[in-house]
Amino acid sequence: MPSSRLPAPIARRLRLPVIAAPMLQVSGIELVVAACRSGVIGAFPTVNARSPAELDAWLTEMRTRLAPYPDAAPPCPNLIMRSPRLAQDLDCVLRHGVEVVITSVGSPAPVVDALHGIGCLVLADVATLAHARKAIAAGADGLVLLTAGAGGQTGWLNPFAFVRALRAEYDGPLVLAGGISDGVALRAAQVLGCDLASMGTRFIATHESMADEAYRQMLVASTLDEVLLTRAFSGLPTNMLIGSIVRMGLDPARLDETVTPSTADQMFGGSAHGNHSAGPRRWRDIWSAGHSVSGVHAVQSVQELVEELAQEYAQAG
């Protein structure tokens, strides 16, 4: 693997410069452990565990199951900065001494000092140059660039332009998120100036993900033409599978693109957001996917996927 700006204790344990992206209601213990054992960083939103107590149990089980593999890549909790559980989840992550964390949906400033206190690498999700500069000023160690084509809540900047603009002023670790479908794209991300690529959609279509089997099969059957950019379900730009919208009886051409995040929570957030709407729930019933969905050709194990990526990556070198 080419030289990296990542800390050596992490970089030396990576078979590939990949993060299996943190995905709501998809990334769990099985996916994270399989990813780390295969030599890629396994990330997960802490809120996928239903409570801070369950998060503690998850991290304990991950550590136990990875203990026989000292060269496994590290698990990577994703702290959502606007989560009402942030303080409790942060406390849990600190007690477990994690090596790397991704922060998202807000400035990393409230958690940086505490995480640095345990020697943890802090990667901040950003979608604009302004956000990137603020995250750097707040003390983030690296940046996850959310670009056009990412699944779920997405960025809108062209990845080529975004990376090169940041590399003109920043020499820290960069992670490219959005549209990475195979080992060739992974190699291209490094040539562009990134240290890692965050891949989500390909990992949804693995046996170890928490995704419904119908979700996995829809990914196999879909192309990037069947990904819709919409604000209707979250109040923010979000890439969703058209097929999953249709199966819930909704017309993709008649969605309300003016909703606010709070209204979207009430309509599609489900009980996780304190309401019990009768309508479909985002993530559970209406499924996300990135433009890399065109690279999903079969449901695989994580090990099979990483092996395929490694072969493509080597051939593209």
Side-chain angles (χ1 to χ4, degrees):
M1 194 170 71
S3 61
S4 173
R5 299 168 185 83
L6 300 171
I10 293 176
R12 67 175 177 79
R13 286 145 57 198
L14 297 182
R15 181 183 183 190
L16 286 174
V18 168
I19 296 176
M23 296 170 284
L24 288 168
Q25 299 193 24
V26 170
S27 305
I29 293 173
E30 297 299 328
L31 178 53
V32 170
V33 169
C36 294
R37 285 180 57 180
S38 297
V40 303
I41 295 171
F44 69 102
T46 58
V47 297
N48 276 4
R50 289 170 292 183
S51 66
E54 185 170 75
L55 174 61
D56 181 74
W58 277 28
L59 288 169
T60 298
E61 182 169 350
M62 289 174 189
R63 183 175 63 249
T64 299
R65 290 174 59 177
L66 290 171
Y69 306 92
D71 291 328
C76 176
N78 168 211
L79 291 170
I80 299 174
M81 302 307 297
R82 296 179 188 172
S83 168
R85 282 174 37 184
L86 176 62
Q88 293 168 291
D89 286 359
L90 173 63
D91 179 66
C92 184
V93 164
L94 293 172
R95 283 189 282 105
H96 281 269
V98 301
E99 296 177 74
V100 56
V101 158
I102 293 172
T103 65
S104 59
V105 197
S107 169
V111 302
V112 165
D113 286 347
L115 290 168
H116 283 171
I118 62 166
C120 181
L121 182 75
V122 181
L123 303 175
D125 243 2
V126 297
T128 68
L129 283 175
H131 290 154
R133 290 165 180 156
K134 289 178 181 178
I136 295 166
D141 301 299
L143 305 172
V144 180
L145 309 187
L146 195 59
T147 68
Q153 290 180 0
T154 185
W156 49 90
L157 295 180
N158 177 284
F160 290 94
F162 197 6
V163 174
R164 298 315 301 162
L166 265 176
R167 273 290 170 242
E169 59 184 73
Y170 178 66
D171 193 41
L174 292 182
V175 184
L176 183 59
I180 308 295
S181 62
D182 57 22
V184 176
L186 175 59
R187 182 71 73 175
Q190 284 195 311
V191 171
L192 194 59
C194 294
D195 303 278
L196 294 164
S198 179
M199 301 180 68
T201 303
R202 291 294 304 273
F203 282 92
I204 301 174
T206 60
H207 298 297
E208 293 89 348
S209 85
M210 297 192 298
D212 187 279
E213 182 60 25
Y215 186 1
R216 298 188 185 105
Q217 294 301 328
M218 187 175 288
L219 291 171
V220 173
S222 298
T223 70
L224 60 85
D225 282 350
E226 292 155 289
V227 174
L228 178 69
L229 180 61
T230 176
R231 292 177 177 268
F233 304 110
S234 69
L236 299 169
T238 307
N239 278 321
M240 295 295 202
L241 281 171
I242 291 174
S244 70
I245 298 171
V246 173
R247 74 189 284 270
M248 287 293 105
L250 301 175
D251 183 350
R254 298 176 64 85
L255 299 174
D256 183 358
E257 299 294 343
T258 67
V259 297
T260 64
S262 61
T263 300
D265 280 350
Q266 295 168 10
M267 295 173 64
F268 302 107
S271 58
H273 292 270
N275 66 74
H276 302 277
S277 61
R281 287 173 56 182
R282 63 190 181 211
W283 321 128
R284 187 195 69 181
D285 303 313
I286 300 170
W287 300 325
S288 66
H291 291 177
S292 59
V293 71
S294 282
V296 180
H297 304 298
V299 178
Q300 303 170 283
S301 70
V302 168
Q303 184 177 355
E304 289 169 338
L305 171 56
V306 173
E307 183 62 37
E308 180 181 302
L309 293 171
Q311 291 177 5
E312 295 165 343
Y313 178 76
Q315 292 167 2

Coordinates of all heavy atoms in Angstrom, one line a residue, residues 55-100:
L55 N -24.5 -0.2 23.3 CA -23.2 0.2 22.7 C -22.0 -0.4 23.5 O -21.1 -0.9 22.9 CB -23.1 1.7 22.6 CG -21.8 2.3 22.1 CD1 -21.5 1.8 20.7 CD2 -21.8 3.8 22.2
D56 N -22.1 -0.3 24.8 CA -21.0 -0.9 25.6 C -20.9 -2.4 25.3 O -19.7 -2.9 25.2 CB -21.3 -0.6 27.1 CG -20.3 -1.2 28.0 OD1 -19.2 -0.6 28.1 OD2 -20.5 -2.2 28.6
A57 N -22.0 -3.1 25.2 CA -22.0 -4.5 24.9 C -21.4 -4.8 23.5 O -20.6 -5.7 23.3 CB -23.4 -5.1 25.0
W58 N -21.8 -3.9 22.6 CA -21.2 -4.1 21.2 C -19.7 -3.9 21.2 O -19.0 -4.8 20.6 CB -21.8 -3.0 20.3 CG -23.2 -3.3 19.7 CD1 -24.2 -4.1 20.3 CD2 -23.7 -2.8 18.5 NE1 -25.3 -4.1 19.5 CE2 -25.0 -3.4 18.4 CE3 -23.3 -2.0 17.5 CZ2 -25.9 -3.1 17.3 CZ3 -24.1 -1.7 16.4 CH2 -25.4 -2.3 16.3
L59 N -19.2 -2.9 21.8 CA -17.8 -2.6 21.8 C -17.0 -3.8 22.5 O -15.9 -4.2 22.1 CB -17.5 -1.3 22.4 CG -17.8 -0.1 21.5 CD1 -17.8 1.2 22.3 CD2 -17.0 0.0 20.3
T60 N -17.6 -4.3 23.6 CA -17.0 -5.4 24.3 C -16.9 -6.6 23.4 O -15.9 -7.3 23.4 CB -17.8 -5.7 25.6 OG1 -17.8 -4.6 26.5 CG2 -17.2 -6.9 26.3
E61 N -18.0 -6.9 22.7 CA -18.0 -8.1 21.9 C -17.1 -7.9 20.7 O -16.4 -8.9 20.3 CB -19.5 -8.4 21.4 CG -19.5 -9.6 20.5 CD -20.9 -10.1 20.2 OE1 -21.9 -9.6 20.8 OE2 -21.0 -11.0 19.3
M62 N -17.0 -6.7 20.1 CA -16.1 -6.5 19.0 C -14.6 -6.8 19.5 O -13.9 -7.4 18.8 CB -16.2 -5.1 18.5 CG -17.5 -4.8 17.7 SD -17.7 -3.1 17.3 CE -19.3 -3.0 16.6
R63 N -14.3 -6.2 20.6 CA -12.9 -6.4 21.2 C -12.7 -7.9 21.4 O -11.6 -8.4 21.1 CB -12.8 -5.6 22.4 CG -11.3 -5.7 23.0 CD -11.1 -4.8 24.2 NE -12.0 -5.2 25.3 CZ -13.0 -4.4 25.8 NH1 -13.3 -3.3 25.2 NH2 -13.7 -4.9 26.8
T64 N -13.6 -8.6 22.0 CA -13.4 -10.0 22.3 C -13.2 -10.8 21.0 O -12.3 -11.7 20.9 CB -14.6 -10.5 23.1 OG1 -14.8 -9.8 24.3 CG2 -14.5 -12.0 23.4
R65 N -14.1 -10.5 20.0 CA -14.0 -11.3 18.8 C -12.8 -11.0 17.9 O -12.3 -11.8 17.1 CB -15.3 -11.2 18.0 CG -16.5 -11.8 18.7 CD -17.8 -11.6 18.0 NE -17.8 -12.0 16.7 CZ -18.9 -12.0 15.9 NH1 -20.0 -11.5 16.4 NH2 -18.9 -12.4 14.7
L66 N -12.2 -9.8 18.1 CA -11.0 -9.4 17.4 C -9.7 -9.7 18.1 O -8.7 -9.7 17.5 CB -11.1 -7.9 17.0 CG -12.2 -7.5 16.0 CD1 -12.3 -6.0 15.9 CD2 -11.8 -8.2 14.6
A67 N -9.8 -10.1 19.4 CA -8.6 -10.3 20.2 C -7.7 -11.4 19.6 O -6.5 -11.2 19.7 CB -9.0 -10.7 21.6
P68 N -8.3 -12.5 19.0 CA -7.3 -13.5 18.4 C -6.6 -13.0 17.1 O -5.8 -13.7 16.6 CB -8.3 -14.6 18.1 CG -9.5 -14.4 18.9 CD -9.6 -12.9 19.0
Y69 N -7.0 -11.8 16.7 CA -6.4 -11.3 15.4 C -5.7 -9.9 15.7 O -6.3 -8.9 15.4 CB -7.5 -11.1 14.4 CG -8.4 -12.3 14.2 CD1 -9.5 -12.6 14.9 CD2 -7.9 -13.3 13.2 CE1 -10.3 -13.7 14.7 CE2 -8.7 -14.4 13.0 CZ -9.8 -14.7 13.8 OH -10.6 -15.8 13.6
P70 N -4.5 -10.0 16.3 CA -3.9 -8.7 16.7 C -3.6 -7.8 15.5 O -3.4 -6.6 15.7 CB -2.6 -9.2 17.3 CG -2.4 -10.6 16.8 CD -3.7 -11.1 16.6
D71 N -3.5 -8.3 14.3 CA -3.2 -7.4 13.1 C -4.5 -7.0 12.4 O -4.5 -6.4 11.3 CB -2.3 -8.1 12.1 CG -0.9 -8.3 12.7 OD1 -0.5 -7.5 13.5 OD2 -0.3 -9.3 12.4
A72 N -5.7 -7.2 13.0 CA -6.9 -6.8 12.4 C -7.0 -5.2 12.4 O -6.4 -4.6 13.3 CB -8.1 -7.3 13.2
A73 N -7.7 -4.7 11.5 CA -7.9 -3.2 11.4 C -8.8 -2.8 12.6 O -9.6 -3.7 13.1 CB -8.6 -2.9 10.1
P74 N -8.8 -1.6 13.0 CA -9.6 -1.2 14.2 C -11.1 -0.9 13.9 O -11.4 -0.4 12.8 CB -8.9 0.1 14.6 CG -8.3 0.7 13.4 CD -7.9 -0.5 12.5
P75 N -12.0 -1.2 14.8 CA -13.3 -0.7 14.7 C -13.4 0.8 14.8 O -12.5 1.4 15.5 CB -14.1 -1.4 15.8 CG -13.1 -2.5 16.3 CD -11.8 -2.0 16.0
C76 N -14.4 1.4 14.2 CA -14.4 2.9 14.2 C -15.9 3.3 14.5 O -16.7 3.4 13.6 CB -14.0 3.4 12.8 SG -14.1 5.2 12.6
P77 N -16.1 3.7 15.7 CA -17.5 4.3 16.0 C -17.7 5.6 15.3 O -16.7 6.4 15.1 CB -17.4 4.4 17.6 CG -16.3 3.6 18.0 CD -15.3 3.5 16.9
N78 N -18.9 5.9 15.0 CA -19.3 7.1 14.3 C -20.2 7.9 15.3 O -21.3 7.4 15.6 CB -20.0 6.9 13.0 CG -20.7 8.1 12.4 OD1 -21.8 7.9 11.8 ND2 -20.2 9.3 12.7
L79 N -19.7 9.0 15.9 CA -20.4 9.8 16.8 C -21.2 10.9 16.0 O -20.6 11.7 15.3 CB -19.5 10.5 17.8 CG -18.8 9.6 18.8 CD1 -17.7 10.4 19.5 CD2 -19.8 9.0 19.8
I80 N -22.5 10.8 16.2 CA -23.4 11.8 15.5 C -23.5 13.0 16.4 O -24.1 12.9 17.5 CB -24.7 11.2 15.1 CG1 -24.5 10.0 14.1 CG2 -25.7 12.3 14.5 CD1 -25.7 9.2 13.8
M81 N -23.0 14.1 16.0 CA -22.8 15.2 17.0 C -24.2 15.8 17.5 O -24.2 16.4 18.6 CB -22.0 16.4 16.3 CG -20.6 15.9 15.9 SD -19.7 15.1 17.2 CE -19.5 16.4 18.4
R82 N -25.2 15.6 16.7 CA -26.5 16.2 17.2 C -27.4 15.1 17.9 O -28.5 15.4 18.2 CB -27.3 16.8 16.0 CG -26.6 17.9 15.3 CD -27.3 18.5 14.1 NE -26.5 19.5 13.4 CZ -26.9 20.0 12.3 NH1 -28.0 19.6 11.7 NH2 -26.1 20.9 11.7
S83 N -26.8 14.0 18.1 CA -27.6 12.9 18.8 C -27.8 13.3 20.3 O -26.9 13.8 20.9 CB -26.8 11.6 18.7 OG -27.4 10.7 19.6
P84 N -29.0 13.1 20.8 CA -29.2 13.4 22.2 C -28.4 12.5 23.1 O -28.3 12.7 24.3 CB -30.7 13.1 22.4 CG -31.1 12.3 21.2 CD -30.2 12.7 20.1
R85 N -27.9 11.4 22.6 CA -27.1 10.4 23.3 C -25.6 10.8 23.3 O -24.8 10.0 23.8 CB -27.3 9.0 22.8 CG -28.5 8.3 23.2 CD -28.7 7.0 22.5 NE -27.5 6.3 22.2 CZ -27.4 5.1 21.6 NH1 -28.5 4.6 21.0 NH2 -26.2 4.5 21.4
L86 N -25.2 11.9 22.6 CA -23.8 12.1 22.4 C -22.9 11.9 23.6 O -21.9 11.3 23.6 CB -23.6 13.5 21.7 CG -22.1 13.9 21.5 CD1 -21.5 12.9 20.5 CD2 -22.0 15.3 21.0
A87 N -23.3 12.6 24.7 CA -22.4 12.6 25.9 C -22.2 11.1 26.4 O -21.1 10.7 26.8 CB -23.0 13.5 27.0
Q88 N -23.3 10.4 26.4 CA -23.3 9.0 26.9 C -22.5 8.1 26.0 O -21.6 7.3 26.4 CB -24.7 8.4 27.1 CG -25.5 9.1 28.2 CD -26.9 8.7 28.1 OE1 -27.6 9.1 27.2 NE2 -27.4 8.0 29.1
D89 N -22.7 8.3 24.7 CA -21.9 7.5 23.7 C -20.4 7.8 23.7 O -19.6 6.9 23.6 CB -22.5 7.7 22.3 CG -23.8 7.0 22.1 OD1 -24.3 6.3 23.1 OD2 -24.4 7.1 21.0
L90 N -20.1 9.1 23.9 CA -18.7 9.5 24.0 C -18.1 8.9 25.2 O -17.0 8.3 25.1 CB -18.6 11.0 24.1 CG -17.2 11.6 24.3 CD1 -16.3 11.2 23.2 CD2 -17.3 13.1 24.5
D91 N -18.8 8.9 26.3 CA -18.2 8.3 27.5 C -17.9 6.8 27.3 O -16.9 6.3 27.7 CB -19.2 8.5 28.7 CG -18.7 7.8 30.0 OD1 -17.7 8.3 30.5 OD2 -19.3 6.9 30.5
C92 N -18.8 6.1 26.6 CA -18.6 4.7 26.4 C -17.4 4.5 25.5 O -16.6 3.6 25.7 CB -19.9 4.1 25.7 SG -19.8 2.3 25.4
V93 N -17.3 5.2 24.4 CA -16.2 5.1 23.5 C -14.9 5.4 24.2 O -13.9 4.7 24.0 CB -16.4 6.1 22.3 CG1 -15.1 6.3 21.5 CG2 -17.5 5.6 21.4
L94 N -14.8 6.4 25.1 CA -13.6 6.7 25.8 C -13.2 5.5 26.7 O -12.0 5.2 26.8 CB -13.8 8.0 26.6 CG -14.0 9.3 25.9 CD1 -14.4 10.4 26.8 CD2 -12.8 9.6 25.1
R95 N -14.2 4.9 27.4 CA -13.9 3.8 28.3 C -13.3 2.6 27.6 O -12.5 1.9 28.1 CB -15.2 3.4 29.1 CG -15.5 4.4 30.2 CD -16.6 3.9 31.1 NE -17.9 4.0 30.4 CZ -18.7 3.1 29.9 NH1 -18.2 1.8 29.9 NH2 -19.8 3.3 29.4
H96 N -13.7 2.5 26.3 CA -13.2 1.3 25.5 C -11.9 1.6 24.8 O -11.3 0.8 24.2 CB -14.3 0.9 24.5 CG -15.4 0.0 25.2 ND1 -15.3 -1.3 25.2 CD2 -16.5 0.4 25.8 CE1 -16.4 -1.8 25.9 NE2 -17.1 -0.8 26.2
G97 N -11.4 2.9 24.9 CA -10.1 3.2 24.4 C -10.0 3.0 22.9 O -9.0 2.5 22.4
V98 N -11.0 3.4 22.1 CA -11.0 3.1 20.7 C -9.9 3.9 20.0 O -9.5 5.0 20.5 CB -12.4 3.5 20.0 CG1 -13.5 2.7 20.6 CG2 -12.7 5.0 20.1
E99 N -9.4 3.5 18.9 CA -8.3 4.1 18.2 C -8.7 5.1 17.2 O -7.9 6.0 16.8 CB -7.5 3.0 17.4 CG -6.9 2.0 18.3 CD -6.2 0.9 17.5 OE1 -5.1 1.2 17.0 OE2 -6.7 -0.2 17.4
V100 N -9.9 5.0 16.6 CA -10.3 6.0 15.6 C -11.8 6.2 15.7 O -12.6 5.2 15.9 CB -9.9 5.5 14.2 CG1 -10.4 4.1 13.9 CG2 -10.3 6.5 13.1

